[in-house]
Amino acid sequence: MNARADLALYNSHGRLTAVVEIKSKMRTSVEWAKFTRRNILAHWDIDGVDFFLLVTPDSLYMWKDSGTTLGPVPPTHKADTTAEFAPYFKGAGVSPKRVTGHTFELVVEAWLGDVMRSARRADEITDTQRILVESGLDTAVRDGRIEYEAVV
C-alpha cells in the first residue's frame, strides 16, 4: 500500500534510500519508537528502503536494513538531538517544547538538507552526526534530494 511519508530521501541516482517520519512529541522512549514504527509500517509497503527514521525534537530513532517487519523492532541507532537541532530552532524562532508539527517538519527538512550537502571531518561531528556516519546514511544520501510529503 502506498502511503505519504513526511520526508523521503533519495540518493544521487534517484533511488529511495530513507523514509522519515516526524513527530513533535518530546521525551519519547525506545518503547514508544518501536510501537510507533510498527503502527506506521502496518499501513505502508516500503520494502527495499535502507533506512527508516523517526525524528522528534529531542531524539532520532533510526532503523537500518530492518525491512518491513511488523513486530516492535528496536531501532538500530538512537541519538539525543537536542544540541543538533538547537541552531535550527533558534533560526526558526521557536522552542522545541512549543514547536508545531509543520514547523518541526521544516526544521528536520533543513537539517537533513545540510546533512545531504555537507562533508564533515570525523573530529568535527556531533554524536548525532556520528550515528549518521557510522550507519552510512550520510554517504547514502549525499548529493541526493528530499521530497516533502512523498508518496512511498
Side-chain angles (χ1 to χ4, degrees):
M1 172 190 315
N2 288 337
R4 189 169 300 276
D6 291 328
L7 300 174
L9 308 181
Y10 294 85
N11 69 14
S12 61
H13 303 290
R15 180 181 168 275
L16 178 62
T17 303
V19 174
V20 183
E21 271 301 295
I22 302 165
K23 305 292 183 192
S24 57
K25 182 178 177 69
M26 298 281 292
R27 293 185 299 274
T28 57
S29 67
V30 169
E31 285 299 307
W32 172 85
K34 289 180 348 184
F35 286 98
T36 300
R37 176 189 173 274
R38 183 200 63 187
N39 292 342
I40 290 168
L41 293 186
H43 304 285
W44 290 11
D45 180 13
I46 58 168
D47 197 31
V49 175
D50 299 331
F51 298 91
F52 179 86
L53 283 70
L54 183 55
V55 185
T56 70
D58 56 0
S59 295
L60 165 69
Y61 302 95
M62 181 191 315
W63 289 261
K64 179 181 179 184
D65 299 326
S66 296
T68 54
T69 303
L70 292 181
V73 177
T76 53
H77 298 85
K78 180 190 182 295
D80 181 319
T81 56
T82 306
E84 187 76 18
F85 290 153
Y88 296 91
F89 283 122
K90 184 176 181 182
V94 296
S95 161
K97 294 177 183 174
R98 293 206 168 119
V99 68
T100 64
H102 180 70
T103 301
F104 185 52
E105 288 175 2
L106 296 174
V107 164
V108 174
E109 185 175 11
W111 170 68
L112 285 170
D114 288 346
V115 167
M116 295 173 86
R117 290 185 300 274
S118 67
R120 294 172 210 66
R121 292 184 9 204
D123 61 339
E124 296 178 336
I125 61 176
T126 65
D127 289 338
T128 302
Q129 292 166 349
R130 189 172 322 307
I131 287 172
L132 301 179
V133 170
E134 290 172 357
S135 69
L137 177 67
D138 73 323
T139 302
V141 298
R142 177 138 317 117
D143 299 324
R145 68 181 169 85
I146 299 174
E147 190 172 317
Y148 183 72
E149 293 189 357
V151 175
V152 295

